[in-house]
Amino acid sequence: MPKVLFLTTSHSYNDDRIFYHQAKALRDKGCEVKICSLYTDYSGSIDGIDIESYAVLEENIDKKMETFRKVCHTFQPQCIICSEPLAVVAVRKFVKQHKAACIYDVTEWYPSMSMLQKYRFPVKIFQAVKFTFIQLYAGFLSTRFIFGETTKKFPLAYFFGFKKQMVLPYYPDTHYIRESVKQLKQGRITLCYTGRISKDKGIDNFFKAVDKLRQKASSLHIRILIIGSAVEERDKLYFSALLKKYNFDDIEIRKPTVFEQFTEELADADLCFDLREINFENNHSLPIKLFYFMGAGKPVIYSDLKGIRKHMGELSFGSLADPHNADGISDIIIDYIRNPELYHAHALNAVKEFKEKYNWEMIKDSFVDFVKKSIDK
């Protein structure tokens, strides 16, 4: 029975990509699977997957690397799938000594903007260069690559193009999707924002568009549904100020739900939004939530991101827009209100495309084969 170990620093052991999709797919194909995270404490077995997780994210680098090494030597995996460069570097000796496969699963831009925001210029430039070299070193040590999206292949796929690689998008398993296609009710609409509440993720852009909509359609009952929370203190203060500024009549704020119930929480929504800022990092991302909105049958209005256009082209179930163009976004919403047939067609298109192109069942076998071939090399 092949042994596969997942190592991650910043993701939880029950991360949707790692636990619910990759680990379960390998388990179902006869692999013995273990997940080690540095995000939180947990030890045990869940759904046949061994978990050994430690809350050492705030510890020094040596402590983090030693934690990974101990788990690695105890479990003796034939394949290690790493989510961050630190994990790759930590197990380099084990990989070399035991001729194990080391797959670097690149799902985040590295270095991320959040990693650099605490530094001031010119230190920020030095740190960016340093982190970039760490990324390249991790690429050198890895035996194979998995990229969450095509736009994240740079620079590793170009420096190490001779290494085996695959693109594995964030498609959801249909088991975790609850379809809730709706018909628009006359004179009413529910607009939904989900995820982290922050300026970067577009909460202000969303509120501006809704405010413009209520100015243009004063008789329309607009309900706002927010599923998420602000993490940083500055984001909490920012969000509180926005709520006071706009003073919407009908707004519901729900705490983030567990992964398995995410699309159930969307059942009341008519339209789902993601109007994140279009900076370099966001522009090269393919947001995971997009596919969950599709599966639930929700038309969307998204920031016009390069990552989406490159992967999907024009959307048949919504619109890509300038997140700062509140006037244009409000017109898109009004067009749905005036043409409920268009809205319903987009809702059906979302479900159809999800079932035909963008679900985990379509790609999981290629993922399992990629991992098994790394062991059988």
Side-chain angles (χ1 to χ4, degrees):
M1 181 182 291
K3 286 186 172 185
V4 181
L5 173 64
F6 288 88
L7 298 179
T8 178
T9 57
S10 57
H11 294 90
S12 176
Y13 61 83
N14 61 349
D15 174 80
D16 59 344
R17 178 177 174 88
I18 296 173
F19 178 80
Y20 287 100
H21 292 89
Q22 294 177 334
K24 287 193 173 185
L26 291 169
R27 175 207 62 188
D28 292 344
K29 294 296 183 177
C31 295
E32 184 178 347
V33 183
K34 189 183 190 78
I35 299 173
C36 177
S37 166
L38 306 185
Y39 189 77
T40 186
D41 275 316
Y42 184 86
S43 181
S45 180
I46 304 175
D47 295 342
I49 297 167
D50 193 21
I51 310 293
E52 189 173 344
S53 183
Y54 300 92
V56 295
L57 191 56
E58 302 304 320
E59 300 287 345
N60 60 47
I61 291 177
D62 288 340
K63 174 70 172 178
K64 296 174 185 177
M65 295 179 71
E66 184 59 27
T67 301
F68 280 149
R69 291 190 192 108
K70 286 181 178 178
V71 173
C72 202
H73 282 284
T74 301
F75 186 59
Q76 292 289 305
Q78 293 150 285
C79 176
I80 307 167
I81 302 178
C82 304
S83 298
E84 297 87 12
L86 178 68
V88 177
V89 176
V91 299
R92 66 188 186 280
K93 290 184 179 179
F94 179 90
V95 169
K96 184 177 181 180
Q97 292 172 358
H98 295 81
K99 294 182 170 50
C102 180
I103 301 175
Y104 182 10
D105 185 10
V106 184
T107 60
E108 306 290 343
W109 193 263
Y110 191 93
S112 66
M113 292 177 63
S114 61
M115 291 173 64
L116 298 173
Q117 67 181 7
K118 63 182 178 181
Y119 301 105
R120 294 184 178 182
F121 184 84
V123 177
K124 182 176 290 190
I125 303 299
F126 170 77
Q127 292 295 333
V129 172
K130 183 183 78 171
F131 288 136
T132 299
F133 275 110
I134 293 172
Q135 172 81 322
L136 291 173
Y137 183 48
F140 170 75
L141 295 174
S142 305
T143 57
R144 292 187 173 209
F145 301 118
I146 295 175
F147 297 101
E149 51 219 89
T150 303
T151 45
K152 292 223 174 80
K153 293 176 74 172
F154 179 83
L156 298 180
Y158 300 90
F159 277 87
F160 307 104
F162 55 91
K163 295 188 178 185
K164 298 288 186 181
Q165 57 185 262
M166 74 173 296
V167 175
L168 188 75
Y170 314 98
Y171 300 163
D173 190 321
T174 55
H175 178 73
Y176 305 116
I177 299 296
R178 177 188 169 188
E179 184 181 318
S180 53
V181 173
K182 295 183 66 180
Q183 298 273 6
L184 282 183
K185 294 181 180 179
Q186 188 172 4
R188 298 178 61 89
I189 194 165
T190 299
L191 310 177
C192 182
Y193 173 104
T194 68
R196 182 170 177 172
I197 297 173
S198 70
K199 180 176 178 59
D200 177 64
K201 297 302 181 184
I203 186 63
D204 191 20
N205 297 329
F206 173 64
F207 278 177
K208 284 178 180 176
V210 177
D211 186 50
K212 184 64 69 172
L213 174 65
R214 70 176 175 180
Q215 292 174 29
K216 292 182 176 181
S218 56
S219 62
L220 178 68
H221 183 96
I222 304 170
R223 179 174 177 245
I224 299 171
L225 174 61
I226 295 178
I227 305 170
S229 63
V231 178
E232 303 290 340
E233 187 61 30
R234 66 176 181 274
D235 293 331
K236 293 177 182 177
L237 295 173
Y238 179 71
F239 183 48
S240 179
L242 288 179
L243 291 174
K244 291 178 182 178
K245 175 182 177 181
Y246 290 103
N247 193 28
F248 292 115
D249 295 326
D250 188 354
I251 182 168
E252 179 183 357
I253 303 171
R254 301 178 188 169
K255 293 292 184 182
T257 185
V258 295
F259 167 75
E260 299 97 321
Q261 297 174 3
F262 177 67
T263 53
E264 292 181 26
E265 291 290 311
L266 299 174
D268 295 340
D270 293 315
L271 270 174
C272 290
F273 292 76
D274 190 321
L275 299 175
R276 65 184 66 191
E277 296 293 325
I278 304 182
N279 51 45
F280 181 84
E281 188 174 319
N282 285 340
N283 199 32
H284 287 79
S285 69
L286 180 64
I288 299 173
K289 291 180 297 183
L290 177 61
F291 303 108
Y292 290 85
F293 295 155
M294 289 177 67
K298 305 301 178 184
V300 301
I301 300 179
Y302 257 77
S303 293
D304 191 359
L305 304 178
K306 179 181 178 180
I308 297 177
R309 282 201 178 275
K310 194 163 186 178
H311 192 82
M312 306 177 75
E314 293 288 338
L315 300 185
S316 68
F317 55 94
S319 300
L320 298 177
D322 176 353
H324 295 142
N325 186 3
D327 190 60
I329 294 168
S330 64
D331 284 343
I332 296 172
I333 302 170
I334 289 173
D335 195 31
Y336 279 133
I337 295 167
R338 291 175 177 169
N339 300 280
E341 297 84 5
L342 174 65
Y343 170 85
H344 193 59
H346 279 195
L348 295 178
N349 286 346
V351 173
K352 181 175 184 292
E353 289 208 27
F354 171 73
K355 289 180 177 179
E356 293 180 355
K357 300 180 184 178
Y358 300 114
N359 64 78
W360 177 241
E361 285 77 5
M362 303 286 293
I363 59 174
K364 70 176 180 180
D365 285 344
S366 61
F367 163 70
V368 173
D369 288 344
F370 185 80
V371 174
K372 286 193 171 183
K373 285 178 180 178
S374 74
I375 298 172
D376 299 334
K377 62 185 184 299

